[in-house]
Amino acid sequence: MKEVFANVRPACDFQGVLSDEAAVAVVNGRMEAYNKFLTVSQPCVLPEFAVAAADLDFALRKVENPTVKVTDSNVILTGGGTTRVRLLPARKQLVKPDIQTTPIKNLADLLGAIDDVYPFTEGDPARPWSQGARFDDMTVTATNSIILCQAELASASGFDGVTISRPALTYIRLRRADLKAWGVSKNGILLEFEDGGWALASRMTMEMPAAAVTLVKKVNDWEGLRVVEQDYRHAVLSAAEWADGTLDTTSIYSDRIQAGRLSSQHDAPAVTELADPDVPAVFAAKALVAVMSVADQIAFDRFPSPVPFTTKRGSRGLIAGRTN
């Protein structure tokens, strides 16, 4: 039961635990749930029930290997004790959308591309498209207005200007082992899995502007980037921990990395190359951490212009620094 619920949990609505919409239900051999981002239907071998998602989630975190029994009023989980979860009114089975899907080619390559851009899908809620990644046939692009990252695909995605939300990308990464096909319509993005499960991801209210896709291509010089050694990566990430809050910065000097909080300051020794050793390259600390989590090569010496970086997979990105 825990394994099935783990695949359904991202679609649960944990906000309104007293409403039918907040339920997770088993209907006709399928565990199902939905929220404003995702609808998930997963095959299972369980008796039928509907309960508050928050209650079932809490119970399954406490019970190791529960046996399941359903009475007229409760779901009873037995294992190291007995837990009763009150039933909600029965729910109708969810209808799988009639969306044509195509098998995914080069799944490992697609997942690698998603992994590269995923750290940059935490954007501004006022720009919904910054909270997802845009798929354009052979590219995947994400930007939060400070960082832009673009991955090229080995095989066409089949999507043209479709922005997939961060929750949907999170779900794809969760189910990475058995994703087999996908398709898109005005009703959403349908994902199909090897075990017979399916998920529908809601369409974004705003698609990422096409102009964002072309920004990486406007950088003509991708030569001369320096390899990010593990010691240097560790120094940057460690120094950034001294920054306090989303507005704080990390400064890259030629011989050290500097960050601070409130009235304190921390210097971490680290050598890099800058155009002017007396002028640091300054970045929002949180943004720099996101870049350094995936960057294989970077060119801090391009500051104050946007600093280019590449990933081990070959994806290309830009991070804008602070110039005032």
Side-chain angles (χ1 to χ4, degrees):
M1 183 176 187
K2 281 192 171 186
E3 183 177 346
V4 176
F5 182 69
N7 289 333
V8 175
R9 188 181 187 278
C12 290
D13 178 1
F14 292 114
Q15 304 305 313
V17 296
L18 298 180
S19 70
D20 183 49
E21 283 72 24
V24 56
V26 175
V27 187
N28 294 331
R30 302 187 73 87
M31 183 178 285
E32 301 179 330
Y34 59 88
N35 57 30
K36 66 179 180 179
F37 299 110
L38 283 170
T39 298
V40 172
S41 177
Q42 190 68 20
C44 65
V45 182
L46 289 167
E48 295 197 2
F49 63 80
V51 296
D55 288 340
L56 184 62
D57 180 50
F58 182 84
L60 289 179
R61 284 188 279 116
K62 299 295 184 183
V63 183
E64 281 298 322
N65 296 297
T67 58
V68 183
K69 179 181 177 181
V70 179
T71 69
D72 291 341
S73 57
N74 294 289
V75 172
I76 299 176
L77 305 176
T78 304
T82 301
T83 303
R84 296 172 182 84
V85 182
R86 183 174 57 85
L87 289 175
L88 293 175
R91 287 202 342 195
K92 294 181 179 179
Q93 186 169 8
L94 298 175
V95 177
K96 184 179 180 181
D98 185 17
I99 298 175
Q100 183 176 354
T101 60
T102 56
I104 294 175
K105 298 178 181 179
N106 295 304
L107 178 60
D109 176 74
L110 173 66
L111 293 170
I114 291 174
D115 287 344
D116 274 5
V117 304
Y118 184 80
F120 316 115
T121 58
E122 289 187 291
D124 182 355
R127 303 184 185 92
W129 47 265
S130 69
Q131 297 182 308
R134 173 170 163 150
F135 288 72
D136 288 276
D137 200 27
M138 300 296 292
T139 62
V140 185
T141 308
T143 179
N144 57 18
S145 300
I146 297 174
I147 308 163
L148 184 142
C149 186
Q150 185 171 92
E152 294 188 354
L153 298 172
S155 298
S157 66
F159 295 167
D160 183 16
V162 176
T163 305
I164 299 180
S165 68
R166 180 179 174 88
L169 296 173
T170 302
Y171 194 71
I172 289 171
R173 297 174 85 214
L174 171 70
R175 302 293 306 274
R176 62 193 309 131
D178 60 349
L179 178 64
K180 71 170 186 178
W182 63 359
V184 64
S185 78
K186 64 180 181 180
N187 296 320
I189 296 100
L190 181 63
L191 309 172
E192 295 178 332
F193 301 95
E194 295 286 356
D195 61 3
W198 59 266
L200 180 70
S202 301
R203 290 294 297 264
M204 304 277 294
T205 56
M206 294 174 60
E207 300 288 356
M208 184 181 296
V213 179
T214 63
L215 287 177
V216 168
K217 294 180 173 62
K218 292 182 180 180
V219 178
N220 296 319
D221 184 8
W222 290 93
E223 302 297 325
L225 279 67
R226 277 72 174 182
V227 173
V228 178
E229 303 291 348
Q230 282 303 104
D231 288 348
Y232 191 83
R233 189 191 315 277
H234 177 72
V236 173
L237 298 180
S238 297
E241 292 178 0
W242 289 80
D244 185 43
T246 57
L247 298 179
D248 287 341
T249 59
T250 298
S251 300
I252 306 293
Y253 288 85
S254 59
D255 60 350
R256 69 190 190 281
I257 302 161
Q258 187 180 93
R261 62 181 301 277
L262 302 177
S263 57
S264 67
Q265 180 177 298
H266 175 75
D267 287 348
V271 177
T272 189
E273 294 186 33
L274 291 170
D276 186 339
D278 297 321
V279 179
V282 183
F283 304 92
K286 184 177 179 180
L288 185 60
V289 166
V291 167
M292 295 303 286
S293 70
V294 299
D296 180 61
Q297 298 184 50
I298 197 164
F300 285 123
D301 59 333
R302 307 283 177 89
F303 182 87
S305 297
V307 169
F309 65 90
T310 59
T311 70
K312 187 174 290 292
R313 181 185 173 279
S315 302
R316 294 178 171 183
L318 298 167
I319 175 172
R322 297 279 184 85
T323 56
N324 51 33

